[in-house]
mmCIF file of all heavy atoms in Angstrom:
data_model
loop_
_atom_site.group_PDB
_atom_site.id
_atom_site.type_symbol
_atom_site.label_atom_id
_atom_site.label_comp_id
_atom_site.label_asym_id
_atom_site.label_seq_id
_atom_site.Cartn_x
_atom_site.Cartn_y
_atom_site.Cartn_z
ATOM 1 N N GLU A 1165 42.109 -59.918 -12.148
ATOM 2 C CA GLU A 1165 42.079 -59.913 -10.672
ATOM 3 C C GLU A 1165 41.049 -60.709 -10.106
ATOM 4 O O GLU A 1165 41.184 -61.116 -8.948
ATOM 5 C CB GLU A 1165 41.788 -58.433 -10.272
ATOM 6 C CG GLU A 1165 42.905 -57.420 -10.580
ATOM 7 C CD GLU A 1165 42.802 -56.955 -12.058
ATOM 8 O OE1 GLU A 1165 41.899 -57.403 -12.775
ATOM 9 O OE2 GLU A 1165 43.822 -56.227 -12.482
ATOM 10 N N ASN A 1166 40.015 -61.021 -10.871
ATOM 11 C CA ASN A 1166 38.896 -61.841 -10.355
ATOM 12 C C ASN A 1166 39.250 -63.384 -10.347
ATOM 13 O O ASN A 1166 38.445 -64.241 -9.892
ATOM 14 C CB ASN A 1166 37.601 -61.549 -11.154
ATOM 15 C CG ASN A 1166 37.029 -60.176 -10.880
ATOM 16 O OD1 ASN A 1166 37.472 -59.581 -9.891
ATOM 17 N ND2 ASN A 1166 36.116 -59.813 -11.555
ATOM 18 N N LYS A 1167 40.291 -63.641 -11.039
ATOM 19 C CA LYS A 1167 40.664 -65.053 -11.195
ATOM 20 C C LYS A 1167 41.434 -65.509 -9.863
ATOM 21 O O LYS A 1167 42.447 -64.909 -9.438
ATOM 22 C CB LYS A 1167 41.601 -65.298 -12.324
ATOM 23 C CG LYS A 1167 40.879 -65.354 -13.611
ATOM 24 C CD LYS A 1167 41.946 -65.767 -14.660
ATOM 25 C CE LYS A 1167 41.259 -65.792 -16.041
ATOM 26 N NZ LYS A 1167 42.153 -66.180 -17.114
ATOM 27 N N LYS A 1168 40.977 -66.571 -9.261
ATOM 28 C CA LYS A 1168 41.535 -66.983 -8.033
ATOM 29 C C LYS A 1168 42.319 -68.326 -8.300
ATOM 30 O O LYS A 1168 41.826 -69.225 -8.958
ATOM 31 C CB LYS A 1168 40.484 -67.290 -6.958
ATOM 32 C CG LYS A 1168 41.063 -67.541 -5.578
ATOM 33 C CD LYS A 1168 39.988 -67.475 -4.558
ATOM 34 C CE LYS A 1168 40.702 -67.795 -3.124
ATOM 35 N NZ LYS A 1168 39.683 -67.836 -2.095
ATOM 36 N N LYS A 1169 43.589 -68.360 -7.902
ATOM 37 C CA LYS A 1169 44.296 -69.562 -8.090
ATOM 38 C C LYS A 1169 44.165 -70.542 -7.029
ATOM 39 O O LYS A 1169 44.248 -70.216 -5.840
ATOM 40 C CB LYS A 1169 45.852 -69.144 -8.176
ATOM 41 C CG LYS A 1169 46.279 -68.611 -9.484
ATOM 42 C CD LYS A 1169 46.505 -69.718 -10.467
ATOM 43 C CE LYS A 1169 46.948 -69.185 -11.787
ATOM 44 N NZ LYS A 1169 46.998 -70.251 -12.802
ATOM 45 N N TYR A 1170 43.768 -71.723 -7.397
ATOM 46 C CA TYR A 1170 43.566 -72.827 -6.379
ATOM 47 C C TYR A 1170 44.734 -73.809 -6.618
ATOM 48 O O TYR A 1170 44.912 -74.425 -7.712
ATOM 49 C CB TYR A 1170 42.234 -73.543 -6.658
ATOM 50 C CG TYR A 1170 41.127 -72.602 -6.475
ATOM 51 C CD1 TYR A 1170 40.326 -72.289 -7.643
ATOM 52 C CD2 TYR A 1170 40.686 -72.141 -5.236
ATOM 53 C CE1 TYR A 1170 39.316 -71.390 -7.566
ATOM 54 C CE2 TYR A 1170 39.598 -71.297 -5.215
ATOM 55 C CZ TYR A 1170 38.819 -70.878 -6.299
ATOM 56 O OH TYR A 1170 37.774 -70.136 -6.198
ATOM 57 N N GLU A 1171 45.513 -74.069 -5.495
ATOM 58 C CA GLU A 1171 46.679 -74.926 -5.720
ATOM 59 C C GLU A 1171 46.314 -76.379 -5.473
ATOM 60 O O GLU A 1171 46.843 -77.221 -6.187
ATOM 61 C CB GLU A 1171 47.740 -74.506 -4.692
ATOM 62 C CG GLU A 1171 49.112 -75.042 -4.880
ATOM 63 C CD GLU A 1171 50.223 -74.553 -3.958
ATOM 64 O OE1 GLU A 1171 50.001 -73.624 -3.303
ATOM 65 O OE2 GLU A 1171 51.282 -75.186 -3.878
ATOM 66 N N PHE A 1172 45.509 -76.650 -4.504
ATOM 67 C CA PHE A 1172 45.071 -77.990 -4.234
ATOM 68 C C PHE A 1172 43.595 -78.114 -4.471
ATOM 69 O O PHE A 1172 42.840 -77.221 -4.400
ATOM 70 C CB PHE A 1172 45.432 -78.486 -2.825
ATOM 71 C CG PHE A 1172 46.883 -78.153 -2.479
ATOM 72 C CD1 PHE A 1172 47.290 -77.191 -1.639
ATOM 73 C CD2 PHE A 1172 47.870 -79.129 -2.926
ATOM 74 C CE1 PHE A 1172 48.631 -77.013 -1.424
ATOM 75 C CE2 PHE A 1172 49.190 -78.898 -2.657
ATOM 76 C CZ PHE A 1172 49.603 -77.864 -1.870
ATOM 77 N N ILE A 1173 43.090 -79.460 -4.668
ATOM 78 C CA ILE A 1173 41.737 -79.620 -4.987
ATOM 79 C C ILE A 1173 40.824 -79.303 -3.731
ATOM 80 O O ILE A 1173 39.698 -78.856 -3.821
ATOM 81 C CB ILE A 1173 41.416 -81.089 -5.411
ATOM 82 C CG1 ILE A 1173 41.858 -82.143 -4.452
ATOM 83 C CG2 ILE A 1173 41.957 -81.302 -6.786
ATOM 84 C CD1 ILE A 1173 41.485 -83.603 -4.912
ATOM 85 N N GLU A 1174 41.360 -79.427 -2.530
ATOM 86 C CA GLU A 1174 40.679 -78.942 -1.338
ATOM 87 C C GLU A 1174 40.361 -77.461 -1.256
ATOM 88 O O GLU A 1174 39.479 -77.056 -0.576
ATOM 89 C CB GLU A 1174 41.473 -79.375 -0.014
ATOM 90 C CG GLU A 1174 41.544 -80.776 0.362
ATOM 91 C CD GLU A 1174 42.693 -81.460 -0.292
ATOM 92 O OE1 GLU A 1174 43.344 -80.894 -1.234
ATOM 93 O OE2 GLU A 1174 42.967 -82.619 0.078
ATOM 94 N N ASP A 1175 41.191 -76.731 -2.039
ATOM 95 C CA ASP A 1175 40.955 -75.272 -2.141
ATOM 96 C C ASP A 1175 39.748 -74.822 -2.945
ATOM 97 O O ASP A 1175 39.274 -73.698 -2.808
ATOM 98 C CB ASP A 1175 42.171 -74.618 -2.728
ATOM 99 C CG ASP A 1175 43.534 -74.809 -1.904
ATOM 100 O OD1 ASP A 1175 43.342 -75.179 -0.669
ATOM 101 O OD2 ASP A 1175 44.582 -74.751 -2.370
ATOM 102 N N LEU A 1176 39.230 -75.771 -3.825
ATOM 103 C CA LEU A 1176 38.140 -75.381 -4.664
ATOM 104 C C LEU A 1176 36.824 -75.217 -3.761
ATOM 105 O O LEU A 1176 36.645 -76.128 -2.909
ATOM 106 C CB LEU A 1176 37.913 -76.593 -5.660
ATOM 107 C CG LEU A 1176 39.042 -76.762 -6.727
ATOM 108 C CD1 LEU A 1176 38.906 -78.035 -7.463
ATOM 109 C CD2 LEU A 1176 39.066 -75.582 -7.675
ATOM 110 N N PRO A 1177 36.080 -74.280 -4.160
ATOM 111 C CA PRO A 1177 34.855 -74.068 -3.406
ATOM 112 C C PRO A 1177 33.926 -75.296 -3.555
ATOM 113 O O PRO A 1177 33.705 -75.831 -4.607
ATOM 114 C CB PRO A 1177 34.210 -72.804 -4.037
ATOM 115 C CG PRO A 1177 34.994 -72.438 -5.187
ATOM 116 C CD PRO A 1177 36.310 -73.244 -5.165
ATOM 117 N N GLY A 1178 33.352 -75.718 -2.400
ATOM 118 C CA GLY A 1178 32.521 -76.857 -2.289
ATOM 119 C C GLY A 1178 33.247 -78.235 -2.234
ATOM 120 O O GLY A 1178 32.581 -79.284 -2.209
ATOM 121 N N VAL A 1179 34.521 -78.287 -2.100
ATOM 122 C CA VAL A 1179 35.201 -79.533 -2.023
ATOM 123 C C VAL A 1179 35.783 -79.560 -0.603
ATOM 124 O O VAL A 1179 36.775 -78.912 -0.214
ATOM 125 C CB VAL A 1179 36.394 -79.579 -3.108
ATOM 126 C CG1 VAL A 1179 37.187 -80.939 -2.783
ATOM 127 C CG2 VAL A 1179 35.887 -79.569 -4.439
ATOM 128 N N GLY A 1180 35.131 -80.509 0.194
ATOM 129 C CA GLY A 1180 35.664 -80.739 1.545
ATOM 130 C C GLY A 1180 36.557 -81.876 1.574
ATOM 131 O O GLY A 1180 36.803 -82.558 0.578
ATOM 132 N N PRO A 1181 37.028 -82.323 2.710
ATOM 133 C CA PRO A 1181 37.981 -83.475 2.795
ATOM 134 C C PRO A 1181 37.417 -84.670 2.203
ATOM 135 O O PRO A 1181 38.023 -85.545 1.563
ATOM 136 C CB PRO A 1181 38.135 -83.608 4.309
ATOM 137 C CG PRO A 1181 37.873 -82.292 4.944
ATOM 138 C CD PRO A 1181 36.842 -81.719 4.101
ATOM 139 N N ALA A 1182 36.152 -85.036 2.556
ATOM 140 C CA ALA A 1182 35.432 -86.242 2.117
ATOM 141 C C ALA A 1182 35.366 -86.281 0.494
ATOM 142 O O ALA A 1182 35.716 -87.242 -0.141
ATOM 143 C CB ALA A 1182 34.051 -86.431 2.609
ATOM 144 N N THR A 1183 34.858 -85.095 -0.121
ATOM 145 C CA THR A 1183 34.777 -84.987 -1.556
ATOM 146 C C THR A 1183 36.173 -85.132 -2.170
ATOM 147 O O THR A 1183 36.396 -85.737 -3.224
ATOM 148 C CB THR A 1183 34.110 -83.684 -1.912
ATOM 149 O OG1 THR A 1183 32.919 -83.511 -1.224
ATOM 150 C CG2 THR A 1183 33.925 -83.482 -3.418
ATOM 151 N N ALA A 1184 37.226 -84.487 -1.522
ATOM 152 C CA ALA A 1184 38.512 -84.397 -2.108
ATOM 153 C C ALA A 1184 39.052 -85.957 -2.034
ATOM 154 O O ALA A 1184 39.744 -86.366 -3.024
ATOM 155 C CB ALA A 1184 39.500 -83.636 -1.205
ATOM 156 N N GLY A 1185 38.696 -86.732 -0.925
ATOM 157 C CA GLY A 1185 39.144 -88.102 -0.950
ATOM 158 C C GLY A 1185 38.599 -88.903 -2.105
ATOM 159 O O GLY A 1185 39.248 -89.763 -2.683
ATOM 160 N N LYS A 1186 37.276 -88.613 -2.352
ATOM 161 C CA LYS A 1186 36.601 -89.451 -3.469
ATOM 162 C C LYS A 1186 37.117 -88.958 -4.792
ATOM 163 O O LYS A 1186 37.227 -89.779 -5.703
ATOM 164 C CB LYS A 1186 35.057 -89.180 -3.395
ATOM 165 C CG LYS A 1186 34.383 -89.896 -2.193
ATOM 166 C CD LYS A 1186 32.941 -89.621 -2.103
ATOM 167 C CE LYS A 1186 32.305 -90.286 -0.894
ATOM 168 N NZ LYS A 1186 30.816 -89.737 -0.703
ATOM 169 N N LEU A 1187 37.459 -87.663 -4.928
ATOM 170 C CA LEU A 1187 38.017 -87.304 -6.241
ATOM 171 C C LEU A 1187 39.410 -87.951 -6.489
ATOM 172 O O LEU A 1187 39.679 -88.353 -7.613
ATOM 173 C CB LEU A 1187 38.266 -85.728 -6.246
ATOM 174 C CG LEU A 1187 36.972 -84.856 -6.405
ATOM 175 C CD1 LEU A 1187 37.250 -83.432 -6.120
ATOM 176 C CD2 LEU A 1187 36.493 -84.961 -7.936
ATOM 177 N N ARG A 1188 40.165 -88.103 -5.449
ATOM 178 C CA ARG A 1188 41.434 -88.720 -5.623
ATOM 179 C C ARG A 1188 41.260 -90.221 -5.918
ATOM 180 O O ARG A 1188 42.074 -90.749 -6.650
ATOM 181 C CB ARG A 1188 42.348 -88.602 -4.315
ATOM 182 C CG ARG A 1188 42.789 -87.133 -4.148
ATOM 183 C CD ARG A 1188 43.986 -87.092 -3.141
ATOM 184 N NE ARG A 1188 44.617 -85.716 -3.133
ATOM 185 C CZ ARG A 1188 44.174 -84.692 -2.375
ATOM 186 N NH1 ARG A 1188 43.232 -84.872 -1.580
ATOM 187 N NH2 ARG A 1188 44.821 -83.514 -2.597
ATOM 188 N N GLU A 1189 40.288 -90.845 -5.356
ATOM 189 C CA GLU A 1189 40.006 -92.246 -5.656
ATOM 190 C C GLU A 1189 39.702 -92.496 -7.131
ATOM 191 O O GLU A 1189 39.979 -93.476 -7.727
ATOM 192 C CB GLU A 1189 38.887 -92.746 -4.745
ATOM 193 C CG GLU A 1189 39.202 -93.047 -3.354
ATOM 194 C CD GLU A 1189 38.034 -93.409 -2.495
ATOM 195 O OE1 GLU A 1189 36.969 -93.798 -3.077
ATOM 196 O OE2 GLU A 1189 38.051 -93.323 -1.233
ATOM 197 N N LEU A 1190 39.038 -91.452 -7.717
ATOM 198 C CA LEU A 1190 38.679 -91.391 -9.116
ATOM 199 C C LEU A 1190 39.851 -91.092 -10.057
ATOM 200 O O LEU A 1190 39.719 -91.138 -11.289
ATOM 201 C CB LEU A 1190 37.486 -90.459 -9.437
ATOM 202 C CG LEU A 1190 36.054 -90.929 -9.011
ATOM 203 C CD1 LEU A 1190 35.106 -89.798 -9.212
ATOM 204 C CD2 LEU A 1190 35.763 -92.115 -9.778
ATOM 205 N N GLY A 1191 40.984 -90.626 -9.447
ATOM 206 C CA GLY A 1191 42.180 -90.242 -10.250
ATOM 207 C C GLY A 1191 42.318 -88.753 -10.472
ATOM 208 O O GLY A 1191 43.178 -88.437 -11.204
ATOM 209 N N TYR A 1192 41.511 -87.905 -9.689
ATOM 210 C CA TYR A 1192 41.691 -86.490 -9.925
ATOM 211 C C TYR A 1192 42.520 -85.905 -8.712
ATOM 212 O O TYR A 1192 41.894 -85.806 -7.627
ATOM 213 C CB TYR A 1192 40.268 -85.800 -9.910
ATOM 214 C CG TYR A 1192 39.429 -86.228 -11.198
ATOM 215 C CD1 TYR A 1192 38.458 -87.243 -10.953
ATOM 216 C CD2 TYR A 1192 39.715 -85.743 -12.390
ATOM 217 C CE1 TYR A 1192 37.783 -87.710 -12.160
ATOM 218 C CE2 TYR A 1192 39.040 -86.041 -13.517
ATOM 219 C CZ TYR A 1192 38.121 -87.132 -13.408
ATOM 220 O OH TYR A 1192 37.286 -87.528 -14.414
ATOM 221 N N HIS A 1193 43.699 -85.777 -8.888
ATOM 222 C CA HIS A 1193 44.598 -85.407 -7.750
ATOM 223 C C HIS A 1193 45.003 -83.895 -7.810
ATOM 224 O O HIS A 1193 45.550 -83.327 -6.910
ATOM 225 C CB HIS A 1193 45.922 -86.222 -7.888
ATOM 226 C CG HIS A 1193 45.685 -87.656 -7.684
ATOM 227 N ND1 HIS A 1193 45.617 -88.321 -6.457
ATOM 228 C CD2 HIS A 1193 45.554 -88.649 -8.558
ATOM 229 C CE1 HIS A 1193 45.381 -89.567 -6.556
ATOM 230 N NE2 HIS A 1193 45.292 -89.885 -7.905
ATOM 231 N N THR A 1194 44.835 -83.328 -9.018
ATOM 232 C CA THR A 1194 45.128 -81.863 -9.158
ATOM 233 C C THR A 1194 44.058 -81.022 -9.742
ATOM 234 O O THR A 1194 43.032 -81.514 -10.365
ATOM 235 C CB THR A 1194 46.360 -81.840 -10.218
ATOM 236 O OG1 THR A 1194 45.967 -82.327 -11.440
ATOM 237 C CG2 THR A 1194 47.607 -82.580 -9.708
ATOM 238 N N VAL A 1195 44.199 -79.714 -9.505
ATOM 239 C CA VAL A 1195 43.154 -78.761 -10.034
ATOM 240 C C VAL A 1195 43.143 -78.917 -11.547
ATOM 241 O O VAL A 1195 41.963 -78.861 -12.092
ATOM 242 C CB VAL A 1195 43.546 -77.349 -9.535
ATOM 243 C CG1 VAL A 1195 42.589 -76.365 -10.186
ATOM 244 C CG2 VAL A 1195 43.528 -77.158 -8.032
ATOM 245 N N GLU A 1196 44.272 -79.107 -12.172
ATOM 246 C CA GLU A 1196 44.326 -79.145 -13.653
ATOM 247 C C GLU A 1196 43.379 -80.402 -14.212
ATOM 248 O O GLU A 1196 42.703 -80.255 -15.165
ATOM 249 C CB GLU A 1196 45.795 -79.396 -14.144
ATOM 250 C CG GLU A 1196 46.585 -78.151 -14.016
ATOM 251 C CD GLU A 1196 47.323 -78.034 -12.617
ATOM 252 O OE1 GLU A 1196 46.925 -78.822 -11.763
ATOM 253 O OE2 GLU A 1196 48.240 -77.197 -12.538
ATOM 254 N N SER A 1197 43.506 -81.510 -13.470
ATOM 255 C CA SER A 1197 42.758 -82.651 -13.949
ATOM 256 C C SER A 1197 41.265 -82.488 -13.708
ATOM 257 O O SER A 1197 40.440 -83.008 -14.501
ATOM 258 C CB SER A 1197 43.296 -83.976 -13.211
ATOM 259 O OG SER A 1197 43.085 -83.926 -11.833
ATOM 260 N N VAL A 1198 40.888 -81.798 -12.624
ATOM 261 C CA VAL A 1198 39.437 -81.546 -12.355
ATOM 262 C C VAL A 1198 38.912 -80.615 -13.449
ATOM 263 O O VAL A 1198 37.805 -80.781 -13.991
ATOM 264 C CB VAL A 1198 39.239 -80.884 -10.931
ATOM 265 C CG1 VAL A 1198 37.830 -80.517 -10.763
ATOM 266 C CG2 VAL A 1198 39.676 -81.973 -9.864
ATOM 267 N N ALA A 1199 39.774 -79.652 -13.867
ATOM 268 C CA ALA A 1199 39.320 -78.711 -14.878
ATOM 269 C C ALA A 1199 38.947 -79.341 -16.168
ATOM 270 O O ALA A 1199 38.195 -78.845 -16.972
ATOM 271 C CB ALA A 1199 40.384 -77.628 -15.129
ATOM 272 N N MET A 1200 39.603 -80.561 -16.424
ATOM 273 C CA MET A 1200 39.454 -81.220 -17.752
ATOM 274 C C MET A 1200 38.340 -82.277 -17.691
ATOM 275 O O MET A 1200 38.049 -82.988 -18.582
ATOM 276 C CB MET A 1200 40.765 -81.883 -18.184
ATOM 277 C CG MET A 1200 41.859 -80.922 -18.517
ATOM 278 S SD MET A 1200 41.527 -79.824 -19.883
ATOM 279 C CE MET A 1200 42.981 -78.808 -19.827
ATOM 280 N N ALA A 1201 37.660 -82.373 -16.429
ATOM 281 C CA ALA A 1201 36.651 -83.433 -16.330
ATOM 282 C C ALA A 1201 35.283 -82.933 -16.777
ATOM 283 O O ALA A 1201 35.120 -81.750 -17.085
ATOM 284 C CB ALA A 1201 36.529 -83.796 -14.809
ATOM 285 N N THR A 1202 34.352 -83.858 -16.930
ATOM 286 C CA THR A 1202 32.980 -83.552 -17.209
ATOM 287 C C THR A 1202 32.119 -83.805 -15.959
ATOM 288 O O THR A 1202 32.541 -84.649 -15.172
ATOM 289 C CB THR A 1202 32.398 -84.367 -18.397
ATOM 290 O OG1 THR A 1202 32.376 -85.702 -18.004
ATOM 291 C CG2 THR A 1202 33.249 -84.116 -19.603
ATOM 292 N N SER A 1203 31.014 -83.136 -15.830
ATOM 293 C CA SER A 1203 30.199 -83.334 -14.603
ATOM 294 C C SER A 1203 29.759 -84.775 -14.484
ATOM 295 O O SER A 1203 29.597 -85.338 -13.374
ATOM 296 C CB SER A 1203 28.958 -82.311 -14.615
ATOM 297 O OG SER A 1203 28.255 -82.521 -15.803
ATOM 298 N N ARG A 1204 29.448 -85.478 -15.602
ATOM 299 C CA ARG A 1204 29.123 -86.880 -15.561
ATOM 300 C C ARG A 1204 30.201 -87.770 -14.999
ATOM 301 O O ARG A 1204 29.916 -88.756 -14.322
ATOM 302 C CB ARG A 1204 28.680 -87.339 -16.972
ATOM 303 C CG ARG A 1204 28.198 -88.683 -16.992
ATOM 304 C CD ARG A 1204 27.690 -89.165 -18.382
ATOM 305 N NE ARG A 1204 26.402 -88.498 -18.695
ATOM 306 C CZ ARG A 1204 25.741 -88.723 -19.824
ATOM 307 N NH1 ARG A 1204 26.237 -89.479 -20.760
ATOM 308 N NH2 ARG A 1204 24.583 -88.097 -19.979
ATOM 309 N N GLU A 1205 31.476 -87.395 -15.298
ATOM 310 C CA GLU A 1205 32.579 -88.160 -14.814
ATOM 311 C C GLU A 1205 32.711 -88.055 -13.326
ATOM 312 O O GLU A 1205 33.353 -88.962 -12.673
ATOM 313 C CB GLU A 1205 33.896 -87.729 -15.463
ATOM 314 C CG GLU A 1205 34.015 -88.226 -16.955
ATOM 315 C CD GLU A 1205 35.215 -87.529 -17.712
ATOM 316 O OE1 GLU A 1205 35.705 -86.586 -17.232
ATOM 317 O OE2 GLU A 1205 35.473 -88.090 -18.727
ATOM 318 N N LEU A 1206 32.162 -87.048 -12.733
ATOM 319 C CA LEU A 1206 32.219 -86.818 -11.277
ATOM 320 C C LEU A 1206 30.996 -87.472 -10.490
ATOM 321 O O LEU A 1206 30.889 -87.339 -9.279
ATOM 322 C CB LEU A 1206 32.327 -85.374 -10.846
ATOM 323 C CG LEU A 1206 33.580 -84.584 -11.429
ATOM 324 C CD1 LEU A 1206 33.658 -83.257 -10.787
ATOM 325 C CD2 LEU A 1206 34.826 -85.374 -11.224
ATOM 326 N N ASP A 1207 30.094 -88.150 -11.254
ATOM 327 C CA ASP A 1207 28.933 -88.838 -10.588
ATOM 328 C C ASP A 1207 29.343 -89.735 -9.474
ATOM 329 O O ASP A 1207 28.669 -89.605 -8.425
ATOM 330 C CB ASP A 1207 28.174 -89.702 -11.720
ATOM 331 C CG ASP A 1207 27.156 -88.848 -12.503
ATOM 332 O OD1 ASP A 1207 27.078 -87.696 -12.121
ATOM 333 O OD2 ASP A 1207 26.673 -89.377 -13.372
ATOM 334 N N PRO A 1208 30.373 -90.560 -9.463
ATOM 335 C CA PRO A 1208 30.631 -91.452 -8.349
ATOM 336 C C PRO A 1208 31.105 -90.607 -7.135
ATOM 337 O O PRO A 1208 31.212 -91.266 -6.073
ATOM 338 C CB PRO A 1208 31.878 -92.203 -8.894
ATOM 339 C CG PRO A 1208 31.781 -92.222 -10.410
ATOM 340 C CD PRO A 1208 31.229 -90.849 -10.727
ATOM 341 N N VAL A 1209 31.457 -89.408 -7.338
ATOM 342 C CA VAL A 1209 31.876 -88.619 -6.026
ATOM 343 C C VAL A 1209 30.663 -88.475 -5.059
ATOM 344 O O VAL A 1209 30.770 -88.349 -3.886
ATOM 345 C CB VAL A 1209 32.463 -87.230 -6.446
ATOM 346 C CG1 VAL A 1209 32.652 -86.379 -5.224
ATOM 347 C CG2 VAL A 1209 33.645 -87.395 -7.288
ATOM 348 N N GLY A 1210 29.424 -88.418 -5.670
ATOM 349 C CA GLY A 1210 28.234 -88.354 -4.801
ATOM 350 C C GLY A 1210 27.699 -86.997 -4.712
ATOM 351 O O GLY A 1210 26.873 -86.670 -3.799
ATOM 352 N N VAL A 1211 28.176 -86.029 -5.496
ATOM 353 C CA VAL A 1211 27.584 -84.737 -5.420
ATOM 354 C C VAL A 1211 26.561 -84.524 -6.587
ATOM 355 O O VAL A 1211 26.669 -85.281 -7.517
ATOM 356 C CB VAL A 1211 28.667 -83.585 -5.582
ATOM 357 C CG1 VAL A 1211 29.586 -83.627 -4.371
ATOM 358 C CG2 VAL A 1211 29.559 -83.705 -6.906
#
C-alpha cells in the first residue's frame, strides 16, 4: 500500500519541469530508466 506508482518522470518527488527536461536530454525518458541510474550519472542534471 505504501508503494506509489509514478507514471511519468515529472511525477517523481523533487522533479520539476526543468529537472525533467534535463533528465530527458540525458536520455532518461521513463521512470524505469531513472530507477536503473546511479546518482553520479545524474550529475549533469544539476541537482
Side-chain angles (χ1 to χ4, degrees):
E1165 292 82 4
N1166 290 348
K1167 281 187 182 178
K1168 190 169 179 183
K1169 279 281 181 187
Y1170 301 108
E1171 193 174 347
F1172 304 104
I1173 55 175
E1174 287 89 348
D1175 300 336
L1176 292 167
V1179 177
T1183 305
K1186 287 177 183 175
L1187 282 169
R1188 286 197 171 91
E1189 283 173 22
L1190 282 176
Y1192 298 100
H1193 299 270
T1194 61
V1195 174
E1196 289 88 346
S1197 60
V1198 173
M1200 297 295 176
T1202 63
S1203 52
R1204 183 174 287 182
E1205 286 170 346
L1206 299 193
D1207 276 351
V1209 173
V1211 296

